Amino acid sequence: ELVTAYAELHHCPTVAWGVVGDDVLAATGSVGDVDEHTVYRIASMTKSFSAAATLWLRDAGVLRLDDPIGWHAPELTNVRSPTADAPPMTIRDLLTMTSGLATDDPWADRHLDLTDDEFDAIVDRGLLVAVPTGTVHEYSNLGYAVLGRVVQRASGRRIQDVVSEELLPALGMRATTWTQPLHGEWAPPLDWRDGGFVDELPPLADGLIAPMGGIWTTVADLARWVTWLDDAYPARDDHDDGPLSRASRREMQTAQRYVGYRTMRGVRCASGYGYGLRVIDDPELGDVITHSGGVPGYGSNMRWVRGRRTAVIALSNSTYAPVTELTAQVLDLVSEQGFIPE
């Protein structure tokens, strides 16, 4: 009932949702003719996948997080902070949104298919660095495109390929891709305009900016993703079967940079940014890990109570569908019913 009312209020043509409990997809539902196996584009939720791939390469000894980006991609040495006393931009800065690169919403959402040559032309003209590197959190989609270029130069592999070859098969995420599905079980991109739903622009292809927001997936596959990330807690001695170590997964879910206070469902919470994930200090639930996503035609969110095996996922197919508030309300409902373990 909560999801149905929310979808009607916010003009979401479809919503596929799921609640993960005790490492399984315990409850699912939908608004519209979709289910937990319907494919949506998840936009910036992709960043956690790109961050995990970068840490996988770090753990393999291919790169270090504190490497200046120019060490691996010399063409990026002219990306400079606005002050001479700022340190060199590093891979860690890109992961944590502390590079200083200017916030670029919604420009990046409309350039997911950027080619290498187009990216090089942008770099040649000079990237806009809004604040000195390492000083504050400045959310930059382009920063994850720069991360993709650095990773490719360091490893000889695109972030997309590391995700597809090293992470997804090991987790059984067979419905998760970087390209638009060819089958009919996907939600087409729509938008609400002038009192009705209209077709959005065709989805953009997998390009250089895709590490910030290009993945297509399902509620069922995302349940595997959040379960695997949360399984890093607690730290313990038993066998660690990867494909990314529990220590590195915990590192992703640890606030690396303070962001400030955010208000969600009327509750004001301190928040930080890890690696491709937001960390929220919720006064009622404790540490909540989350990330939203939005591109033309889609809006999405995933959130879970860290270390307590409980998560909520919601995907919709309207432009920037505001489902972040929805998952927060559903998680509150699950908590009120006593389903979150202590």
Side-chain angles (χ1 to χ4, degrees):
E1 293 173 355
L2 172 63
V3 177
T4 300
Y6 192 93
E8 182 177 355
L9 176 65
H10 293 281
H11 305 299
C12 300
T14 73
V15 178
W17 61 268
V19 176
V20 175
D22 197 21
D23 297 340
V24 298
L25 190 54
T28 62
S30 66
V31 173
D33 188 20
V34 296
D35 60 26
E36 69 271 24
H37 302 296
T38 303
V39 177
Y40 293 78
R41 198 166 219 174
I42 61 168
S44 286
M45 286 167 59
T46 299
K47 291 181 174 71
S48 63
F49 292 80
S50 297
T54 303
L55 291 185
W56 187 90
L57 292 167
R58 186 274 308 271
D59 293 352
V62 175
L63 50 79
R64 296 175 299 179
L65 298 192
D66 291 319
D67 288 348
I69 62 174
W71 284 10
H72 299 290
E75 68 273 22
L76 298 174
T77 54
N78 65 341
V79 181
R80 300 183 184 279
S81 288
T83 62
D85 62 353
M89 191 180 297
T90 67
I91 294 173
R92 190 187 304 274
D93 291 323
L94 298 173
L95 286 168
T96 59
M97 304 291 185
T98 56
S99 66
L101 290 168
T103 297
D104 49 25
D105 296 329
W107 174 85
D109 301 339
R110 289 150 175 82
H111 291 83
L112 283 168
D113 58 350
L114 199 72
T115 66
D116 283 337
D117 289 344
E118 290 169 337
F119 176 79
D120 289 337
I122 292 172
V123 171
D124 288 344
R125 291 195 299 268
L127 300 183
L128 179 59
V129 182
V131 294
T133 297
T135 56
V136 298
H137 177 270
E138 178 87 2
Y139 192 88
S140 172
N141 289 306
L142 185 61
Y144 268 66
V146 174
L147 177 67
R149 170 59 66 86
V150 172
V151 165
Q152 187 171 1
R153 291 284 187 264
S155 68
R157 304 167 71 183
R158 300 192 312 157
I159 278 183
Q160 293 96 311
D161 296 330
V162 178
V163 170
S164 297
E165 295 166 8
E166 308 296 345
L167 302 181
L168 301 182
L171 299 175
M173 298 177 65
R174 297 178 181 85
T176 303
T177 64
W178 291 93
T179 56
Q180 178 184 329
L182 298 177
H183 56 71
E185 296 179 5
W186 66 286
L190 301 174
D191 193 17
W192 176 265
R193 297 176 197 158
D194 301 323
F197 291 109
V198 298
D199 292 336
E200 255 291 3
L201 295 173
L204 297 175
D206 174 28
L208 193 139
I209 291 188
M212 78 85 183
I215 281 182
W216 299 79
T217 191
T218 67
V219 168
D221 265 19
L222 284 170
R224 293 174 178 268
W225 182 248
V226 301
T227 296
W228 174 68
L229 288 172
D230 194 49
D231 184 59
Y233 294 90
R236 54 197 185 273
D237 293 328
D238 57 309
H239 179 67
D240 189 346
D241 55 3
L244 181 67
S245 70
R246 288 195 296 266
S248 291
R249 281 177 270 161
R250 291 193 295 271
E251 193 177 349
M252 288 178 62
Q253 299 172 75
T254 300
Q256 306 292 332
R257 171 63 67 170
Y258 178 70
V259 173
Y261 279 88
R262 304 185 74 194
T263 299
M264 185 66 58
R265 85 268 194 238
V267 179
R268 191 165 178 257
C269 306
S271 66
Y273 202 81
Y275 300 144
L277 292 167
R278 296 188 183 277
V279 184
I280 297 174
D281 183 8
D282 189 290
E284 299 296 328
L285 299 175
D287 291 325
V288 173
I289 311 300
T290 184
H291 213 291
S292 60
V295 290
Y298 297 98
S300 56
N301 186 259
M302 59 182 177
R303 68 180 54 240
W304 60 95
V305 186
R306 189 172 67 187
R308 293 167 69 185
R309 301 297 190 270
T310 308
V312 178
I313 300 157
L315 310 177
S316 184
N317 62 323
S318 63
T319 299
Y320 302 122
V323 296
T324 299
E325 180 79 19
L326 174 60
T327 60
Q329 292 181 19
V330 173
L331 193 58
D332 279 347
L333 184 60
V334 171
S335 177
E336 290 166 8
Q337 296 299 314
F339 290 119
I340 300 179
E342 295 296 330

